[in-house]
Amino acid sequence: MATSTSKSAIPGKPAISKNAGTSSKPWSIFVMAASLTALLGAAGAGAWFLRPEAQIERLVKLSDQYVEKGNAAAAWTELQHLKTIDSWAADYYQAKFLLRSSSSGQDPTRLRSAADMLRRASADPSYGDRARTLLAELLVGSPELARSPDEAIFAMRAAARNGNKQAKRLLAEDMLKRPESDKTEVFSLLESASEADARAGEILTGLIEDRKLESRSPYLVADLRYRAFINNLKEAEAGAASAMVAVGDAYRDGAGVRRDLSMAGLWYDRAVARNSNAARLRQIGLLHLDGKPESAAKAHKLALEAAKAGTSIGAFTELALDFKYGRGVTANAQQAESYLRLAAAKGAATARYELADTLLKRTPALPESINEAFLLLNQAAQGGNSGAAWRLYEFHDKGMHGLTQDRRVAFNYLVQAARAGRLTARIELAVRYDRGDEVVAKNAVEAFRWAASAVEAGATSPRMLIILGDAYAAGEVVQQDRLRAKGYLEAAVRQNDPRAMRKLGNLHFELPEDNASAKAVNWLRQAAIHGETYAYVDLGRAYASGAGVPIDSARAFAYFDQAAKAGNLDGLVEMGRSYATGYGVNKDPVLAAATFRRAAEAGSGEGMILLSYCYESGDGVDKSVTEARSWVQRSAAINNPEGLYWYGVYLVEGRGGPSNRSEGIAYLNRAKDGNFKPASGILSQLLGSSDGSTPLDPAPKPISAFTPTAAVAKTRAAETVMRTTSLAPTEETNAPTTTTETTTQPVAEAAAAVSPVE
C-alpha cells in the first residue's frame, strides 16, 4: 500500500512543492501511520473520525481561510487533500478555486483546467448540478473553451431541469439575449430561481420595473426584494464577503428590509474585515452622508487602503473627489486631476464626468479643453453616469458651449439620464410625456411610468403626485383605484397645489361619499381662488351639466369667460362652443369661429380641430376643405393626438390636398401611441385593405354643442360623435353632445352619485 503526500501545483502556476514521501512496506505499520497522520494533520487535528462529507466541508473551510489570508498556495494544498476522500468533490472545489482567483480571467491554462475539472464533476450525482451550472457560467464568459456551440446551454438546461436555482437564472439571462425567447418562460425561471438566488430576484425586479416583463401580482417586486435579502443574508452569515456587501446594500436602500444605515455600516465593516474593496467603497459613501469632518477623514483613509493594490478604480475616483472638494484632506486641484485622469483612463464613468466638469470650469475656457470635456461626458454617459447624460441634455437643449440647439438629441440624453437613475431626469421625463411637446407626443403610459419611478425614488413634487392620481382615477394605464388616486391628490393638496385641488374636486364627482358632488364643487372653487384657471372651466361645465350644482347656463358661460380672460385656452374653446350652440348666450356661428381661431392661434390643439370643423362645414366662415386640412395639420405639428388622427385621415383620403396613404397611416399610428382610441379602429380597417377600397366605419368628429341635460363627458367628444368622412358612408346627425379636456372631469349629475359612504 502506498500513500502519496505530494503537493501538486496549481494549474498555470509554478509547482508549490515537489516533496514526496511513500511507503510500500507492509510490515512498517509505523510508516503507514505516520503517512496517514501527516495527511489528516493537514486537515486539522482530530479530523480522522469525521464522515467524508464533514471532512470535505472542513477542508473547504480551511482552504477559504487561507484564501482570505492571501495564501493561495496553502489553500490549494488543502483542496488537493480532497482527492483522497472524493475525487469529484476535489474537481468541483478546485475548479471553483481557479475561477474565483483574481487572475483566472487572464490565464487560459487555468480556465481550461477548470473547465475539464467541471466536466468530470458533472458526472457525480452530488456535485453534478453545481458543476454544470459553474461550467455553463464559465462557457458563457469564455465561449472558446466550449467543446461545441451548445455545450453551455445544454449544461444550463440539465442543471435547471434538476431544480438548480442558479442554473435557472443563467438560463433566463441567456434567453433574454435572444429576441425570440418565450418571455413567460423567462419570467417563470427567474421567479423560481429567486427563491434561492438573490441575483435572479434583482434581474426580475429590474425587468418588471422597466415594463419588459409583466408582473402577475402587484406585490411581487416587494416579495422579490425580500427573497433577495434573505438569500444574501444566509450567504453573508456563512461568511461570503460579497453577500455581506449585498446585505449592507439592502439596509442602505431599504430593499426587502427596513432602511437602516447603521446596520448597513455594520455589514460593510464585516466585509471590510475580509478585505473587500467593494465594502470599503460602500462604507465611504455612508461616511460622506454623515457630513462630519472626522467621518470624511475616515473615508479618505479607507480610500487609501482600497487604492493600495493599484487596481481599485473606485478608490482612485474617491481619492480624486477628496482632493477636488477637500473631503477629509486639504483640497488640491493638481492632485485631484491626477487621480481623475488615472481613474478615467481605466474607464471610471464618475471620474470622466468629474474631469469633464473640471475642464469646463477652467478660465479661460480653451477649445481643446471643451472638446476633451465633451468626449469625456459622452464616454461617462455611455458608462451609465446619470450626471453626464443630464449635462449633455442641458447643453443640447439650450445650445450651450458652442453646441447647436437640438431638442431631439437633448431628449435622448434625458432618457439616458432617467434610465441611469437621475431623479431630476425622471421628473422632467414624466412632465414631458404628461404634457407632450414638439419632440415627444403626449403619452399617459410613459408619464405614469416615470412619475411612479420618481416617487419611488423619493420625489414628492405635486406634479408627480398628480400624474399618479390621474392615472389611478382614470384606470386606463393602470388598474383603476379611486381611493388611491384620492390619496395621491390629497398629498399634493397638502402642499397647497391649486392644480391638485382642482383634480381632487373632479375626482369627488366619482367617489361614493356623502355629499361628494358638493365637495367636488367646493374643491373647484378653492382651486379657482388659488389661481387655477382650469377650475373656472370645470365649474362652468358643472353648472352646464348640473353636477353638484343647479343647472345654470348663464353662470356656466360666465365661468368660461372668466377662465378665458385669465388666459385659459380651454375657457376660450368652451366659449366658442357656447356661441356655436347658443347655450348660455345668443347663438352666433361667426363669433364661435372667431373664438375658436383665438384659441387655435394661441396654441390650443382642440381649438385648431374645432376651427378646422368650422371650415369643413362652413359654420361661421366660408367653407374651405383646404383650410380645414391646414388647421388639423397644425394641430398634428404640436403632437396633439386628435390632431395627429385627423391629419392622418385627411392624408389617407386626400381631402383638401394630396393623398398619401403611407404617411397618413404613420400619423394614425402616432395618434394611437398618444392613446387616442379611435385611431386603433381606423388603423385595423386600413391595414385590412391594401388599396383602401374596402368601406370603412366613419371616423369620429369634433362636436360643437352643449346641452343642459348632458353629463360632462369623461372621454373626448371626438370619441363619441361622428364626423363626415369619405372613408365610408355616414348619416349626418345634429344631436347635441358634450366634450371636455383629456384630464379627469366631473362626469355625473348630482343625482347620479353612487350610494354615499363616508
Side-chain angles (χ1 to χ4, degrees), residues 108-129:
T109 301
R110 303 184 77 182
L111 291 178
R112 279 194 296 272
S113 296
D116 290 338
M117 291 174 180
L118 291 170
R119 290 186 182 105
R120 290 195 298 268
S122 296
D124 179 56
S126 299
Y127 294 94
D129 286 339

CSV table of all heavy atoms in Angstrom, one decimal, residues 108-129:
chain,number,residue,atom,x,y,z
A,108,PRO,N,-5.5,31.5,-19.7
A,108,PRO,CA,-6.3,30.5,-20.4
A,108,PRO,C,-6.0,29.1,-19.9
A,108,PRO,O,-6.9,28.2,-19.9
A,108,PRO,CB,-5.7,30.6,-21.8
A,108,PRO,CG,-5.2,32.1,-21.9
A,108,PRO,CD,-4.7,32.4,-20.5
A,109,THR,N,-4.8,28.8,-19.4
A,109,THR,CA,-4.4,27.5,-18.9
A,109,THR,C,-5.3,27.1,-17.7
A,109,THR,O,-5.8,26.0,-17.6
A,109,THR,CB,-2.9,27.5,-18.5
A,109,THR,OG1,-2.1,27.8,-19.6
A,109,THR,CG2,-2.6,26.1,-18.0
A,110,ARG,N,-5.4,28.1,-16.8
A,110,ARG,CA,-6.2,27.8,-15.6
A,110,ARG,C,-7.7,27.6,-16.0
A,110,ARG,O,-8.4,26.8,-15.4
A,110,ARG,CB,-6.1,28.9,-14.6
A,110,ARG,CG,-4.6,29.1,-14.2
A,110,ARG,CD,-4.5,30.2,-13.1
A,110,ARG,NE,-4.9,29.7,-11.8
A,110,ARG,CZ,-4.9,30.4,-10.7
A,110,ARG,NH1,-4.6,31.7,-10.7
A,110,ARG,NH2,-5.2,29.8,-9.5
A,111,LEU,N,-8.2,28.4,-16.9
A,111,LEU,CA,-9.6,28.3,-17.3
A,111,LEU,C,-9.9,27.0,-18.0
A,111,LEU,O,-10.9,26.4,-17.7
A,111,LEU,CB,-9.9,29.5,-18.3
A,111,LEU,CG,-10.0,30.9,-17.7
A,111,LEU,CD1,-10.3,31.9,-18.8
A,111,LEU,CD2,-11.0,31.0,-16.6
A,112,ARG,N,-8.9,26.5,-18.8
A,112,ARG,CA,-9.1,25.2,-19.4
A,112,ARG,C,-9.1,24.1,-18.4
A,112,ARG,O,-9.9,23.1,-18.5
A,112,ARG,CB,-8.0,25.0,-20.5
A,112,ARG,CG,-8.3,25.6,-21.8
A,112,ARG,CD,-7.4,25.1,-22.9
A,112,ARG,NE,-6.0,25.4,-22.6
A,112,ARG,CZ,-5.4,26.6,-23.0
A,112,ARG,NH1,-6.1,27.5,-23.7
A,112,ARG,NH2,-4.1,26.8,-22.7
A,113,SER,N,-8.2,24.2,-17.4
A,113,SER,CA,-8.1,23.2,-16.3
A,113,SER,C,-9.4,23.2,-15.6
A,113,SER,O,-10.0,22.1,-15.2
A,113,SER,CB,-7.0,23.5,-15.4
A,113,SER,OG,-5.7,23.4,-16.1
A,114,ALA,N,-10.0,24.4,-15.3
A,114,ALA,CA,-11.2,24.5,-14.5
A,114,ALA,C,-12.4,23.9,-15.3
A,114,ALA,O,-13.2,23.1,-14.8
A,114,ALA,CB,-11.6,25.9,-14.2
A,115,ALA,N,-12.4,24.1,-16.6
A,115,ALA,CA,-13.5,23.5,-17.5
A,115,ALA,C,-13.4,22.0,-17.5
A,115,ALA,O,-14.5,21.3,-17.3
A,115,ALA,CB,-13.4,24.1,-18.9
A,116,ASP,N,-12.2,21.5,-17.6
A,116,ASP,CA,-12.1,20.0,-17.6
A,116,ASP,C,-12.5,19.4,-16.2
A,116,ASP,O,-13.1,18.3,-16.2
A,116,ASP,CB,-10.6,19.6,-17.9
A,116,ASP,CG,-10.2,19.9,-19.3
A,116,ASP,OD1,-11.2,20.0,-20.2
A,116,ASP,OD2,-9.0,20.1,-19.6
A,117,MET,N,-12.1,20.1,-15.1
A,117,MET,CA,-12.5,19.6,-13.8
A,117,MET,C,-14.0,19.6,-13.7
A,117,MET,O,-14.6,18.6,-13.1
A,117,MET,CB,-11.9,20.5,-12.7
A,117,MET,CG,-10.4,20.3,-12.6
A,117,MET,SD,-9.7,21.6,-11.4
A,117,MET,CE,-8.0,21.2,-11.5
A,118,LEU,N,-14.6,20.6,-14.1
A,118,LEU,CA,-16.1,20.7,-14.0
A,118,LEU,C,-16.8,19.7,-14.9
A,118,LEU,O,-17.8,19.2,-14.5
A,118,LEU,CB,-16.6,22.1,-14.4
A,118,LEU,CG,-16.2,23.2,-13.4
A,118,LEU,CD1,-16.5,24.6,-13.9
A,118,LEU,CD2,-16.9,23.1,-12.0
A,119,ARG,N,-16.2,19.4,-16.0
A,119,ARG,CA,-16.8,18.3,-16.9
A,119,ARG,C,-16.8,17.0,-16.1
A,119,ARG,O,-17.7,16.2,-16.2
A,119,ARG,CB,-16.1,18.3,-18.2
A,119,ARG,CG,-16.4,19.5,-19.1
A,119,ARG,CD,-15.7,19.3,-20.5
A,119,ARG,NE,-16.0,20.5,-21.3
A,119,ARG,CZ,-15.0,21.4,-21.6
A,119,ARG,NH1,-13.8,21.2,-21.1
A,119,ARG,NH2,-15.3,22.4,-22.4
A,120,ARG,N,-15.7,16.7,-15.5
A,120,ARG,CA,-15.6,15.5,-14.7
A,120,ARG,C,-16.6,15.5,-13.5
A,120,ARG,O,-17.2,14.5,-13.3
A,120,ARG,CB,-14.1,15.3,-14.2
A,120,ARG,CG,-13.1,15.0,-15.3
A,120,ARG,CD,-11.8,14.4,-14.7
A,120,ARG,NE,-11.2,15.4,-13.8
A,120,ARG,CZ,-10.2,16.2,-14.2
A,120,ARG,NH1,-9.9,16.3,-15.5
A,120,ARG,NH2,-9.6,17.0,-13.3
A,121,ALA,N,-16.6,16.6,-12.8
A,121,ALA,CA,-17.5,16.7,-11.6
A,121,ALA,C,-19.0,16.6,-12.0
A,121,ALA,O,-19.8,16.2,-11.2
A,121,ALA,CB,-17.3,17.9,-10.9
A,122,SER,N,-19.3,16.9,-13.3
A,122,SER,CA,-20.7,16.9,-13.8
A,122,SER,C,-21.3,15.5,-13.7
A,122,SER,O,-22.5,15.3,-13.7
A,122,SER,CB,-20.8,17.5,-15.2
A,122,SER,OG,-20.4,18.8,-15.2
A,123,ALA,N,-20.4,14.5,-13.7
A,123,ALA,CA,-20.9,13.1,-13.7
A,123,ALA,C,-21.4,12.6,-12.3
A,123,ALA,O,-22.0,11.6,-12.2
A,123,ALA,CB,-19.9,12.2,-14.3
A,124,ASP,N,-21.0,13.4,-11.3
A,124,ASP,CA,-21.3,13.0,-9.9
A,124,ASP,C,-22.8,13.4,-9.5
A,124,ASP,O,-23.2,14.5,-9.8
A,124,ASP,CB,-20.3,13.6,-9.0
A,124,ASP,CG,-20.6,13.2,-7.5
A,124,ASP,OD1,-20.6,12.0,-7.3
A,124,ASP,OD2,-20.8,14.1,-6.7
A,125,PRO,N,-23.5,12.5,-8.9
A,125,PRO,CA,-24.9,12.9,-8.5
A,125,PRO,C,-24.9,14.0,-7.5
A,125,PRO,O,-25.8,14.8,-7.5
A,125,PRO,CB,-25.4,11.6,-7.9
A,125,PRO,CG,-24.6,10.5,-8.5
A,125,PRO,CD,-23.2,11.1,-8.7
A,126,SER,N,-23.9,14.1,-6.6
A,126,SER,CA,-23.9,15.1,-5.6
A,126,SER,C,-23.5,16.5,-6.1
A,126,SER,O,-24.0,17.5,-5.7
A,126,SER,CB,-23.0,14.7,-4.4
A,126,SER,OG,-23.4,13.4,-3.9
A,127,TYR,N,-22.5,16.5,-7.0
A,127,TYR,CA,-21.9,17.7,-7.4
A,127,TYR,C,-22.3,18.1,-8.9
A,127,TYR,O,-21.9,19.1,-9.4
A,127,TYR,CB,-20.4,17.7,-7.3
A,127,TYR,CG,-19.9,17.6,-5.9
A,127,TYR,CD1,-19.6,16.4,-5.3
A,127,TYR,CD2,-19.8,18.8,-5.1
A,127,TYR,CE1,-19.2,16.4,-3.9
A,127,TYR,CE2,-19.4,18.8,-3.8
A,127,TYR,CZ,-19.1,17.5,-3.2
A,127,TYR,OH,-18.7,17.5,-1.9
A,128,GLY,N,-23.0,17.2,-9.5
A,128,GLY,CA,-23.3,17.4,-11.0
A,128,GLY,C,-24.0,18.7,-11.3
A,128,GLY,O,-23.5,19.4,-12.2
A,129,ASP,N,-25.1,19.0,-10.6
A,129,ASP,CA,-25.8,20.2,-11.0
A,129,ASP,C,-25.0,21.5,-10.7
A,129,ASP,O,-25.0,22.4,-11.5
A,129,ASP,CB,-27.1,20.3,-10.2
A,129,ASP,CG,-28.2,19.4,-10.7
A,129,ASP,OD1,-28.1,18.9,-11.9
A,129,ASP,OD2,-29.1,19.0,-9.9
